[in-house]
Amino acid sequence: SQTIHQWPATLVQPVGSPLSLECTVEGTSNPNLYWYRQAAGRGLQLLFYSVGIGQISSEVPQNLSASRPQDRQFILSSKKLLLSDSGFYLCAWSAGQGYEQYFGPGTRLTVT
Amino acid sequence: AQSVTQPDIHITVSEGASLELRCNYSYGATPYLFWYVQSPGQGLQLLLKYFSGDTLVQGIKGFEAEFKRSQSSFNLRKPSVHWSDAAEYFCAVGAHNAGKSTFGDGTTLTVKP
């Protein structure tokens, strides 16, 4: 069966520090991968999605970047965090475009 | 472009009462439709999905949803709500090889004892 992992679960970082969140998927090949952010009490904001290694689509201009160095690995990064980067970050995968998505447990990021 | 509207931001029901959460979508072709549930501090879990065929789909945890093309709706229902159903519910629309899915803003369900 397929499994999706995210780490860390919780992170507190000072403004201006770098960020690296990692997401890995097991049990499937060539998944579509997604990064979402959820602000407190708000819906999902799609940040990036990827249909293959090295193929990244950015949905909104922002302080973040994403990379997909391996088929089942998706990394969210920032060189310098802003207070507005705080939120709940969710990684997800799907078997193809438009299909149902399976979500990881999320990372709670607090920028202080 | 596809879009999803969940008209109710917050719904409160008594335990044991029936539930209906509304979802309206906009899409030019036959959509794929989904409902997800999110408990506080957790990721989203797929409740059910509609791709084609029978317009009444059954999901996990006793939920069902009905696709009504004429109304562009995909409402989620449950005959008897349990306290553990309190959560955030998201409707989403997608289409085969047509890019990413679009999520609604969510409906928060509170269950009164």
Side-chain angles (χ1 to χ4, degrees):
Chain A
S1 64
Q2 301 86 7
T3 309
I4 180 168
H5 303 279
Q6 276 188 252
W7 64 90
T10 305
L11 192 59
V12 180
Q13 293 283 94
V15 168
S17 63
L19 173 73
S20 181
L21 302 181
E22 188 164 345
C23 171
T24 60
V25 181
E26 297 176 356
T28 187
S29 297
N30 196 32
N32 284 12
L33 296 171
Y34 310 84
W35 278 112
Y36 292 89
R37 177 169 59 205
Q38 203 174 22
R42 303 290 297 276
L44 296 169
Q45 180 186 31
L46 180 62
L47 302 175
F48 302 95
Y49 71 97
S50 171
V51 299
I53 296 175
Q55 300 178 62
I56 309 293
S57 297
S58 175
E59 288 297 297
V60 292
Q62 58 202 312
N63 185 41
L64 303 169
S65 62
S67 62
R68 184 171 178 173
Q70 299 180 44
D71 181 45
R72 289 170 289 178
Q73 184 184 30
F74 204 24
I75 297 172
L76 183 70
S77 303
S78 174
K79 292 182 179 178
K80 289 185 178 181
L81 283 169
L82 306 172
L83 286 175
S84 57
D85 292 323
S86 293
F88 191 52
Y89 287 83
L90 289 160
C91 180
W93 74 271
S94 70
Q97 295 185 52
Y99 291 149
E100 67 270 27
Q101 295 180 24
Y102 297 93
F103 286 79
T107 295
R108 173 75 58 193
L109 172 65
T110 303
V111 182
T112 61
Chain B
Q2 59 201 37
S3 67
V4 178
T5 302
Q6 293 181 244
D8 304 304
I9 297 174
H10 195 175
I11 283 185
T12 299
V13 299
S14 297
E15 189 168 16
S18 63
L19 171 70
E20 182 170 33
L21 302 182
R22 296 185 291 164
C23 173
N24 295 101
Y25 69 91
S26 174
Y27 192 71
T30 300
Y32 295 167
L33 294 161
F34 313 95
W35 275 100
Y36 296 83
V37 61
Q38 183 183 31
S39 296
Q42 298 185 23
L44 279 69
Q45 180 185 20
L46 180 70
L47 280 176
L48 47 78
K49 61 186 179 184
Y50 171 81
F51 284 174
S52 65
D54 192 346
T55 56
L56 183 63
V57 294
Q58 302 297 320
I60 62 172
K61 305 184 180 187
F63 285 93
E64 66 178 27
E66 186 172 12
F67 170 53
K68 292 186 176 180
R69 184 189 302 274
S70 62
Q71 299 178 20
S72 297
S73 69
F74 189 58
N75 294 348
L76 182 71
R77 300 193 294 249
K78 186 170 185 178
S80 178
V81 169
H82 188 261
W83 64 267
S84 60
D85 293 324
E88 186 86 13
Y89 290 81
F90 293 93
C91 180
V93 61
H96 180 56
N97 283 336
K100 59 196 183 302
S101 295
T102 298
F103 284 77
D105 289 335
T107 297
T108 301
L109 173 65
T110 298
V111 180
K112 294 191 302 183

PDB file of all heavy atoms in Angstrom, chain A residues 53-90:
ATOM      1  N   ILE A  53      10.109  14.206 -12.154  1.00  0.00           N
ATOM      2  CA  ILE A  53      11.382  14.678 -11.610  1.00  0.00           C
ATOM      3  C   ILE A  53      11.807  15.974 -12.304  1.00  0.00           C
ATOM      4  O   ILE A  53      11.810  16.050 -13.540  1.00  0.00           O
ATOM      5  CB  ILE A  53      12.470  13.616 -11.772  1.00  0.00           C
ATOM      6  CG1 ILE A  53      12.120  12.377 -10.949  1.00  0.00           C
ATOM      7  CG2 ILE A  53      13.832  14.156 -11.333  1.00  0.00           C
ATOM      8  CD1 ILE A  53      13.087  11.222 -11.152  1.00  0.00           C
ATOM      9  N   GLY A  54      12.143  16.960 -11.496  1.00  0.00           N
ATOM     10  CA  GLY A  54      12.629  18.218 -12.047  1.00  0.00           C
ATOM     11  C   GLY A  54      11.560  19.106 -12.649  1.00  0.00           C
ATOM     12  O   GLY A  54      11.856  20.216 -13.099  1.00  0.00           O
ATOM     13  N   GLN A  55      10.307  18.661 -12.650  1.00  0.00           N
ATOM     14  CA  GLN A  55       9.212  19.450 -13.233  1.00  0.00           C
ATOM     15  C   GLN A  55       8.379  20.034 -12.098  1.00  0.00           C
ATOM     16  O   GLN A  55       7.658  19.316 -11.414  1.00  0.00           O
ATOM     17  CB  GLN A  55       8.328  18.583 -14.125  1.00  0.00           C
ATOM     18  CG  GLN A  55       9.064  17.942 -15.281  1.00  0.00           C
ATOM     19  CD  GLN A  55       8.131  17.061 -16.093  1.00  0.00           C
ATOM     20  OE1 GLN A  55       7.156  17.533 -16.669  1.00  0.00           O
ATOM     21  NE2 GLN A  55       8.408  15.781 -16.126  1.00  0.00           N
ATOM     22  N   ILE A  56       8.500  21.350 -11.920  1.00  0.00           N
ATOM     23  CA  ILE A  56       7.819  22.027 -10.831  1.00  0.00           C
ATOM     24  C   ILE A  56       6.989  23.161 -11.396  1.00  0.00           C
ATOM     25  O   ILE A  56       7.486  23.961 -12.191  1.00  0.00           O
ATOM     26  CB  ILE A  56       8.816  22.623  -9.814  1.00  0.00           C
ATOM     27  CG1 ILE A  56       9.838  21.576  -9.375  1.00  0.00           C
ATOM     28  CG2 ILE A  56       8.064  23.229  -8.635  1.00  0.00           C
ATOM     29  CD1 ILE A  56       9.264  20.450  -8.566  1.00  0.00           C
ATOM     30  N   SER A  57       5.735  23.241 -10.974  1.00  0.00           N
ATOM     31  CA  SER A  57       4.873  24.367 -11.333  1.00  0.00           C
ATOM     32  C   SER A  57       4.563  25.147 -10.070  1.00  0.00           C
ATOM     33  O   SER A  57       4.173  24.564  -9.056  1.00  0.00           O
ATOM     34  CB  SER A  57       3.579  23.882 -11.971  1.00  0.00           C
ATOM     35  OG  SER A  57       3.824  23.209 -13.175  1.00  0.00           O
ATOM     36  N   SER A  58       4.754  26.456 -10.152  1.00  0.00           N
ATOM     37  CA  SER A  58       4.497  27.324  -9.019  1.00  0.00           C
ATOM     38  C   SER A  58       3.155  28.004  -9.210  1.00  0.00           C
ATOM     39  O   SER A  58       2.875  28.529 -10.286  1.00  0.00           O
ATOM     40  CB  SER A  58       5.597  28.373  -8.898  1.00  0.00           C
ATOM     41  OG  SER A  58       5.287  29.300  -7.869  1.00  0.00           O
ATOM     42  N   GLU A  59       2.367  27.974  -8.167  1.00  0.00           N
ATOM     43  CA  GLU A  59       1.018  28.530  -8.269  1.00  0.00           C
ATOM     44  C   GLU A  59       0.934  29.986  -7.855  1.00  0.00           C
ATOM     45  O   GLU A  59       0.102  30.730  -8.350  1.00  0.00           O
ATOM     46  CB  GLU A  59       0.046  27.707  -7.415  1.00  0.00           C
ATOM     47  CG  GLU A  59      -0.255  26.354  -8.012  1.00  0.00           C
ATOM     48  CD  GLU A  59      -0.947  26.486  -9.356  1.00  0.00           C
ATOM     49  OE1 GLU A  59      -2.068  27.015  -9.417  1.00  0.00           O
ATOM     50  OE2 GLU A  59      -0.347  26.062 -10.371  1.00  0.00           O
ATOM     51  N   VAL A  60       1.743  30.388  -6.916  1.00  0.00           N
ATOM     52  CA  VAL A  60       1.681  31.762  -6.428  1.00  0.00           C
ATOM     53  C   VAL A  60       3.103  32.287  -6.223  1.00  0.00           C
ATOM     54  O   VAL A  60       3.977  31.545  -5.800  1.00  0.00           O
ATOM     55  CB  VAL A  60       0.881  31.875  -5.114  1.00  0.00           C
ATOM     56  CG1 VAL A  60      -0.576  31.579  -5.354  1.00  0.00           C
ATOM     57  CG2 VAL A  60       1.431  30.955  -4.062  1.00  0.00           C
ATOM     58  N   PRO A  61       3.334  33.559  -6.566  1.00  0.00           N
ATOM     59  CA  PRO A  61       4.661  34.133  -6.295  1.00  0.00           C
ATOM     60  C   PRO A  61       4.870  34.240  -4.788  1.00  0.00           C
ATOM     61  O   PRO A  61       3.981  34.641  -4.069  1.00  0.00           O
ATOM     62  CB  PRO A  61       4.574  35.514  -6.955  1.00  0.00           C
ATOM     63  CG  PRO A  61       3.126  35.834  -7.007  1.00  0.00           C
ATOM     64  CD  PRO A  61       2.408  34.525  -7.165  1.00  0.00           C
ATOM     65  N   GLN A  62       6.032  33.838  -4.342  1.00  0.00           N
ATOM     66  CA  GLN A  62       6.211  33.813  -2.905  1.00  0.00           C
ATOM     67  C   GLN A  62       7.682  33.633  -2.571  1.00  0.00           C
ATOM     68  O   GLN A  62       8.532  33.568  -3.436  1.00  0.00           O
ATOM     69  CB  GLN A  62       5.416  32.653  -2.321  1.00  0.00           C
ATOM     70  CG  GLN A  62       5.832  31.315  -2.927  1.00  0.00           C
ATOM     71  CD  GLN A  62       4.718  30.299  -2.767  1.00  0.00           C
ATOM     72  OE1 GLN A  62       4.154  30.147  -1.692  1.00  0.00           O
ATOM     73  NE2 GLN A  62       4.382  29.636  -3.837  1.00  0.00           N
ATOM     74  N   ASN A  63       7.894  33.499  -1.290  1.00  0.00           N
ATOM     75  CA  ASN A  63       9.236  33.379  -0.729  1.00  0.00           C
ATOM     76  C   ASN A  63       9.706  31.933  -0.710  1.00  0.00           C
ATOM     77  O   ASN A  63      10.757  31.643  -0.170  1.00  0.00           O
ATOM     78  CB  ASN A  63       9.163  33.928   0.706  1.00  0.00           C
ATOM     79  CG  ASN A  63      10.496  33.969   1.372  1.00  0.00           C
ATOM     80  OD1 ASN A  63      11.502  34.337   0.754  1.00  0.00           O
ATOM     81  ND2 ASN A  63      10.546  33.579   2.634  1.00  0.00           N
ATOM     82  N   LEU A  64       8.956  31.020  -1.281  1.00  0.00           N
ATOM     83  CA  LEU A  64       9.265  29.599  -1.192  1.00  0.00           C
ATOM     84  C   LEU A  64       9.643  29.031  -2.549  1.00  0.00           C
ATOM     85  O   LEU A  64       9.288  29.596  -3.590  1.00  0.00           O
ATOM     86  CB  LEU A  64       8.038  28.844  -0.648  1.00  0.00           C
ATOM     87  CG  LEU A  64       7.510  29.302   0.714  1.00  0.00           C
ATOM     88  CD1 LEU A  64       6.163  28.664   1.000  1.00  0.00           C
ATOM     89  CD2 LEU A  64       8.507  28.962   1.807  1.00  0.00           C
ATOM     90  N   SER A  65      10.316  27.891  -2.528  1.00  0.00           N
ATOM     91  CA  SER A  65      10.629  27.159  -3.741  1.00  0.00           C
ATOM     92  C   SER A  65      10.446  25.680  -3.473  1.00  0.00           C
ATOM     93  O   SER A  65      10.373  25.250  -2.321  1.00  0.00           O
ATOM     94  CB  SER A  65      12.063  27.441  -4.208  1.00  0.00           C
ATOM     95  OG  SER A  65      12.992  27.014  -3.222  1.00  0.00           O
ATOM     96  N   ALA A  66      10.349  24.895  -4.523  1.00  0.00           N
ATOM     97  CA  ALA A  66      10.191  23.453  -4.379  1.00  0.00           C
ATOM     98  C   ALA A  66      11.127  22.743  -5.336  1.00  0.00           C
ATOM     99  O   ALA A  66      11.498  23.279  -6.391  1.00  0.00           O
ATOM    100  CB  ALA A  66       8.743  23.042  -4.639  1.00  0.00           C
ATOM    101  N   SER A  67      11.504  21.538  -4.956  1.00  0.00           N
ATOM    102  CA  SER A  67      12.348  20.726  -5.823  1.00  0.00           C
ATOM    103  C   SER A  67      11.894  19.276  -5.712  1.00  0.00           C
ATOM    104  O   SER A  67      11.322  18.855  -4.711  1.00  0.00           O
ATOM    105  CB  SER A  67      13.820  20.856  -5.437  1.00  0.00           C
ATOM    106  OG  SER A  67      14.038  20.397  -4.120  1.00  0.00           O
ATOM    107  N   ARG A  68      12.189  18.531  -6.770  1.00  0.00           N
ATOM    108  CA  ARG A  68      11.860  17.100  -6.810  1.00  0.00           C
ATOM    109  C   ARG A  68      13.101  16.380  -7.316  1.00  0.00           C
ATOM    110  O   ARG A  68      13.224  16.087  -8.499  1.00  0.00           O
ATOM    111  CB  ARG A  68      10.660  16.836  -7.702  1.00  0.00           C
ATOM    112  CG  ARG A  68      10.210  15.373  -7.707  1.00  0.00           C
ATOM    113  CD  ARG A  68       8.891  15.224  -8.438  1.00  0.00           C
ATOM    114  NE  ARG A  68       8.462  13.836  -8.502  1.00  0.00           N
ATOM    115  CZ  ARG A  68       7.284  13.449  -8.977  1.00  0.00           C
ATOM    116  NH1 ARG A  68       6.412  14.362  -9.416  1.00  0.00           N
ATOM    117  NH2 ARG A  68       6.975  12.182  -9.022  1.00  0.00           N
ATOM    118  N   PRO A  69      14.031  16.086  -6.417  1.00  0.00           N
ATOM    119  CA  PRO A  69      15.280  15.463  -6.823  1.00  0.00           C
ATOM    120  C   PRO A  69      15.150  13.976  -7.178  1.00  0.00           C
ATOM    121  O   PRO A  69      15.965  13.454  -7.945  1.00  0.00           O
ATOM    122  CB  PRO A  69      16.174  15.645  -5.596  1.00  0.00           C
ATOM    123  CG  PRO A  69      15.228  15.792  -4.459  1.00  0.00           C
ATOM    124  CD  PRO A  69      14.004  16.458  -4.996  1.00  0.00           C
ATOM    125  N   GLN A  70      14.162  13.328  -6.637  1.00  0.00           N
ATOM    126  CA  GLN A  70      13.899  11.917  -6.935  1.00  0.00           C
ATOM    127  C   GLN A  70      12.409  11.733  -7.212  1.00  0.00           C
ATOM    128  O   GLN A  70      11.593  12.592  -6.862  1.00  0.00           O
ATOM    129  CB  GLN A  70      14.326  11.031  -5.759  1.00  0.00           C
ATOM    130  CG  GLN A  70      15.803  11.117  -5.416  1.00  0.00           C
ATOM    131  CD  GLN A  70      16.166  10.217  -4.244  1.00  0.00           C
ATOM    132  OE1 GLN A  70      15.724   9.067  -4.176  1.00  0.00           O
ATOM    133  NE2 GLN A  70      16.957  10.744  -3.329  1.00  0.00           N
ATOM    134  N   ASP A  71      12.058  10.607  -7.787  1.00  0.00           N
ATOM    135  CA  ASP A  71      10.678  10.380  -8.227  1.00  0.00           C
ATOM    136  C   ASP A  71       9.667  10.543  -7.103  1.00  0.00           C
ATOM    137  O   ASP A  71       8.577  11.062  -7.302  1.00  0.00           O
ATOM    138  CB  ASP A  71      10.572   8.961  -8.825  1.00  0.00           C
ATOM    139  CG  ASP A  71       9.171   8.663  -9.317  1.00  0.00           C
ATOM    140  OD1 ASP A  71       8.576   9.555  -9.986  1.00  0.00           O
ATOM    141  OD2 ASP A  71       8.661   7.566  -9.063  1.00  0.00           O
ATOM    142  N   ARG A  72      10.029  10.094  -5.897  1.00  0.00           N
ATOM    143  CA  ARG A  72       9.064  10.086  -4.812  1.00  0.00           C
ATOM    144  C   ARG A  72       9.468  11.004  -3.667  1.00  0.00           C
ATOM    145  O   ARG A  72       9.079  10.793  -2.523  1.00  0.00           O
ATOM    146  CB  ARG A  72       8.880   8.645  -4.319  1.00  0.00           C
ATOM    147  CG  ARG A  72       8.133   7.780  -5.325  1.00  0.00           C
ATOM    148  CD  ARG A  72       8.171   6.314  -4.953  1.00  0.00           C
ATOM    149  NE  ARG A  72       9.495   5.740  -5.129  1.00  0.00           N
ATOM    150  CZ  ARG A  72       9.812   4.482  -4.842  1.00  0.00           C
ATOM    151  NH1 ARG A  72       8.911   3.688  -4.315  1.00  0.00           N
ATOM    152  NH2 ARG A  72      11.025   4.033  -5.048  1.00  0.00           N
ATOM    153  N   GLN A  73      10.246  12.029  -3.982  1.00  0.00           N
ATOM    154  CA  GLN A  73      10.700  12.967  -2.972  1.00  0.00           C
ATOM    155  C   GLN A  73      10.387  14.387  -3.433  1.00  0.00           C
ATOM    156  O   GLN A  73      10.704  14.786  -4.563  1.00  0.00           O
ATOM    157  CB  GLN A  73      12.213  12.811  -2.751  1.00  0.00           C
ATOM    158  CG  GLN A  73      12.763  13.690  -1.652  1.00  0.00           C
ATOM    159  CD  GLN A  73      14.279  13.571  -1.539  1.00  0.00           C
ATOM    160  OE1 GLN A  73      14.970  13.317  -2.523  1.00  0.00           O
ATOM    161  NE2 GLN A  73      14.801  13.767  -0.345  1.00  0.00           N
ATOM    162  N   PHE A  74       9.790  15.151  -2.523  1.00  0.00           N
ATOM    163  CA  PHE A  74       9.385  16.515  -2.847  1.00  0.00           C
ATOM    164  C   PHE A  74       9.813  17.392  -1.690  1.00  0.00           C
ATOM    165  O   PHE A  74       9.496  17.110  -0.533  1.00  0.00           O
ATOM    166  CB  PHE A  74       7.864  16.560  -3.041  1.00  0.00           C
ATOM    167  CG  PHE A  74       7.362  17.685  -3.904  1.00  0.00           C
ATOM    168  CD1 PHE A  74       8.159  18.309  -4.848  1.00  0.00           C
ATOM    169  CD2 PHE A  74       6.033  18.096  -3.807  1.00  0.00           C
ATOM    170  CE1 PHE A  74       7.671  19.315  -5.662  1.00  0.00           C
ATOM    171  CE2 PHE A  74       5.534  19.109  -4.619  1.00  0.00           C
ATOM    172  CZ  PHE A  74       6.353  19.707  -5.544  1.00  0.00           C
ATOM    173  N   ILE A  75      10.562  18.457  -1.982  1.00  0.00           N
ATOM    174  CA  ILE A  75      11.146  19.287  -0.935  1.00  0.00           C
ATOM    175  C   ILE A  75      10.658  20.724  -1.088  1.00  0.00           C
ATOM    176  O   ILE A  75      10.648  21.274  -2.207  1.00  0.00           O
ATOM    177  CB  ILE A  75      12.683  19.241  -0.989  1.00  0.00           C
ATOM    178  CG1 ILE A  75      13.154  17.811  -0.724  1.00  0.00           C
ATOM    179  CG2 ILE A  75      13.291  20.201   0.025  1.00  0.00           C
ATOM    180  CD1 ILE A  75      14.637  17.599  -0.934  1.00  0.00           C
ATOM    181  N   LEU A  76      10.268  21.310   0.018  1.00  0.00           N
ATOM    182  CA  LEU A  76       9.860  22.717   0.052  1.00  0.00           C
ATOM    183  C   LEU A  76      10.931  23.500   0.796  1.00  0.00           C
ATOM    184  O   LEU A  76      11.331  23.111   1.892  1.00  0.00           O
ATOM    185  CB  LEU A  76       8.512  22.853   0.765  1.00  0.00           C
ATOM    186  CG  LEU A  76       7.911  24.257   0.818  1.00  0.00           C
ATOM    187  CD1 LEU A  76       7.450  24.691  -0.557  1.00  0.00           C
ATOM    188  CD2 LEU A  76       6.731  24.288   1.791  1.00  0.00           C
ATOM    189  N   SER A  77      11.383  24.601   0.191  1.00  0.00           N
ATOM    190  CA  SER A  77      12.505  25.338   0.764  1.00  0.00           C
ATOM    191  C   SER A  77      12.259  26.833   0.778  1.00  0.00           C
ATOM    192  O   SER A  77      11.411  27.353   0.038  1.00  0.00           O
ATOM    193  CB  SER A  77      13.776  25.075  -0.064  1.00  0.00           C
ATOM    194  OG  SER A  77      14.066  23.696  -0.139  1.00  0.00           O
ATOM    195  N   SER A  78      13.047  27.475   1.619  1.00  0.00           N
ATOM    196  CA  SER A  78      13.107  28.933   1.622  1.00  0.00           C
ATOM    197  C   SER A  78      14.504  29.342   2.068  1.00  0.00           C
ATOM    198  O   SER A  78      15.096  28.698   2.930  1.00  0.00           O
ATOM    199  CB  SER A  78      12.069  29.539   2.560  1.00  0.00           C
ATOM    200  OG  SER A  78      12.244  30.943   2.657  1.00  0.00           O
ATOM    201  N   LYS A  79      15.025  30.404   1.469  1.00  0.00           N
ATOM    202  CA  LYS A  79      16.342  30.886   1.877  1.00  0.00           C
ATOM    203  C   LYS A  79      16.235  31.765   3.122  1.00  0.00           C
ATOM    204  O   LYS A  79      17.099  31.760   3.985  1.00  0.00           O
ATOM    205  CB  LYS A  79      16.981  31.667   0.740  1.00  0.00           C
ATOM    206  CG  LYS A  79      17.345  30.807  -0.449  1.00  0.00           C
ATOM    207  CD  LYS A  79      18.027  31.633  -1.534  1.00  0.00           C
ATOM    208  CE  LYS A  79      18.404  30.738  -2.716  1.00  0.00           C
ATOM    209  NZ  LYS A  79      19.034  31.531  -3.817  1.00  0.00           N
ATOM    210  N   LYS A  80      15.132  32.532   3.197  1.00  0.00           N
ATOM    211  CA  LYS A  80      14.927  33.422   4.336  1.00  0.00           C
ATOM    212  C   LYS A  80      13.451  33.482   4.671  1.00  0.00           C
ATOM    213  O   LYS A  80      12.649  34.041   3.915  1.00  0.00           O
ATOM    214  CB  LYS A  80      15.434  34.831   4.033  1.00  0.00           C
ATOM    215  CG  LYS A  80      16.930  34.970   3.952  1.00  0.00           C
ATOM    216  CD  LYS A  80      17.338  36.435   3.766  1.00  0.00           C
ATOM    217  CE  LYS A  80      18.850  36.587   3.734  1.00  0.00           C
ATOM    218  NZ  LYS A  80      19.251  38.007   3.588  1.00  0.00           N
ATOM    219  N   LEU A  81      13.073  32.936   5.807  1.00  0.00           N
ATOM    220  CA  LEU A  81      11.675  32.882   6.191  1.00  0.00           C
ATOM    221  C   LEU A  81      11.136  34.254   6.591  1.00  0.00           C
ATOM    222  O   LEU A  81      11.847  35.076   7.186  1.00  0.00           O
ATOM    223  CB  LEU A  81      11.485  31.920   7.362  1.00  0.00           C
ATOM    224  CG  LEU A  81      11.512  30.433   7.007  1.00  0.00           C
ATOM    225  CD1 LEU A  81      11.580  29.595   8.267  1.00  0.00           C
ATOM    226  CD2 LEU A  81      10.305  30.058   6.174  1.00  0.00           C
ATOM    227  N   LEU A  82       9.857  34.458   6.273  1.00  0.00           N
ATOM    228  CA  LEU A  82       9.124  35.649   6.681  1.00  0.00           C
ATOM    229  C   LEU A  82       8.074  35.237   7.714  1.00  0.00           C
ATOM    230  O   LEU A  82       7.672  34.066   7.776  1.00  0.00           O
ATOM    231  CB  LEU A  82       8.422  36.287   5.481  1.00  0.00           C
ATOM    232  CG  LEU A  82       9.281  36.624   4.272  1.00  0.00           C
ATOM    233  CD1 LEU A  82       8.394  37.066   3.112  1.00  0.00           C
ATOM    234  CD2 LEU A  82      10.296  37.701   4.627  1.00  0.00           C
ATOM    235  N   LEU A  83       7.590  36.199   8.486  1.00  0.00           N
ATOM    236  CA  LEU A  83       6.526  35.898   9.444  1.00  0.00           C
ATOM    237  C   LEU A  83       5.307  35.310   8.741  1.00  0.00           C
ATOM    238  O   LEU A  83       4.651  34.403   9.256  1.00  0.00           O
ATOM    239  CB  LEU A  83       6.123  37.158  10.211  1.00  0.00           C
ATOM    240  CG  LEU A  83       7.079  37.671  11.272  1.00  0.00           C
ATOM    241  CD1 LEU A  83       6.585  38.993  11.833  1.00  0.00           C
ATOM    242  CD2 LEU A  83       7.252  36.648  12.397  1.00  0.00           C
ATOM    243  N   SER A  84       5.032  35.804   7.540  1.00  0.00           N
ATOM    244  CA  SER A  84       3.855  35.362   6.788  1.00  0.00           C
ATOM    245  C   SER A  84       3.989  33.935   6.277  1.00  0.00           C
ATOM    246  O   SER A  84       3.024  33.387   5.739  1.00  0.00           O
ATOM    247  CB  SER A  84       3.606  36.303   5.605  1.00  0.00           C
ATOM    248  OG  SER A  84       4.746  36.363   4.768  1.00  0.00           O
ATOM    249  N   ASP A  85       5.152  33.313   6.426  1.00  0.00           N
ATOM    250  CA  ASP A  85       5.319  31.920   6.008  1.00  0.00           C
ATOM    251  C   ASP A  85       4.779  30.940   7.046  1.00  0.00           C
ATOM    252  O   ASP A  85       4.716  29.735   6.793  1.00  0.00           O
ATOM    253  CB  ASP A  85       6.789  31.612   5.738  1.00  0.00           C
ATOM    254  CG  ASP A  85       7.321  32.347   4.519  1.00  0.00           C
ATOM    255  OD1 ASP A  85       6.559  32.485   3.532  1.00  0.00           O
ATOM    256  OD2 ASP A  85       8.480  32.794   4.550  1.00  0.00           O
ATOM    257  N   SER A  86       4.402  31.434   8.200  1.00  0.00           N
ATOM    258  CA  SER A  86       3.821  30.550   9.220  1.00  0.00           C
ATOM    259  C   SER A  86       2.554  29.903   8.687  1.00  0.00           C
ATOM    260  O   SER A  86       1.778  30.514   7.962  1.00  0.00           O
ATOM    261  CB  SER A  86       3.490  31.352  10.479  1.00  0.00           C
ATOM    262  OG  SER A  86       4.647  31.830  11.108  1.00  0.00           O
ATOM    263  N   GLY A  87       2.354  28.654   9.097  1.00  0.00           N
ATOM    264  CA  GLY A  87       1.153  27.949   8.658  1.00  0.00           C
ATOM    265  C   GLY A  87       1.327  26.453   8.775  1.00  0.00           C
ATOM    266  O   GLY A  87       2.327  25.954   9.301  1.00  0.00           O
ATOM    267  N   PHE A  88       0.341  25.760   8.277  1.00  0.00           N
ATOM    268  CA  PHE A  88       0.339  24.292   8.274  1.00  0.00           C
ATOM    269  C   PHE A  88       0.605  23.856   6.840  1.00  0.00           C
ATOM    270  O   PHE A  88      -0.165  24.174   5.933  1.00  0.00           O
ATOM    271  CB  PHE A  88      -1.019  23.803   8.782  1.00  0.00           C
ATOM    272  CG  PHE A  88      -1.096  22.348   9.085  1.00  0.00           C
ATOM    273  CD1 PHE A  88      -0.169  21.728   9.908  1.00  0.00           C
ATOM    274  CD2 PHE A  88      -2.120  21.574   8.546  1.00  0.00           C
ATOM    275  CE1 PHE A  88      -0.255  20.379  10.196  1.00  0.00           C
ATOM    276  CE2 PHE A  88      -2.210  20.219   8.829  1.00  0.00           C
ATOM    277  CZ  PHE A  88      -1.280  19.617   9.653  1.00  0.00           C
ATOM    278  N   TYR A  89       1.696  23.122   6.634  1.00  0.00           N
ATOM    279  CA  TYR A  89       2.109  22.730   5.292  1.00  0.00           C
ATOM    280  C   TYR A  89       1.781  21.263   5.055  1.00  0.00           C
ATOM    281  O   TYR A  89       2.148  20.390   5.848  1.00  0.00           O
ATOM    282  CB  TYR A  89       3.612  22.974   5.105  1.00  0.00           C
ATOM    283  CG  TYR A  89       3.929  24.448   4.987  1.00  0.00           C
ATOM    284  CD1 TYR A  89       4.062  25.240   6.132  1.00  0.00           C
ATOM    285  CD2 TYR A  89       4.070  25.051   3.740  1.00  0.00           C
ATOM    286  CE1 TYR A  89       4.323  26.592   6.024  1.00  0.00           C
ATOM    287  CE2 TYR A  89       4.336  26.411   3.631  1.00  0.00           C
ATOM    288  CZ  TYR A  89       4.452  27.164   4.773  1.00  0.00           C
ATOM    289  OH  TYR A  89       4.710  28.514   4.663  1.00  0.00           O
ATOM    290  N   LEU A  90       1.108  21.036   3.962  1.00  0.00           N
ATOM    291  CA  LEU A  90       0.660  19.685   3.623  1.00  0.00           C
ATOM    292  C   LEU A  90       1.245  19.254   2.292  1.00  0.00           C
ATOM    293  O   LEU A  90       1.221  20.011   1.323  1.00  0.00           O
ATOM    294  CB  LEU A  90      -0.862  19.633   3.532  1.00  0.00           C
ATOM    295  CG  LEU A  90      -1.617  19.745   4.859  1.00  0.00           C
ATOM    296  CD1 LEU A  90      -3.058  20.162   4.618  1.00  0.00           C
ATOM    297  CD2 LEU A  90      -1.567  18.434   5.610  1.00  0.00           C
TER     298      LEU A  90
END
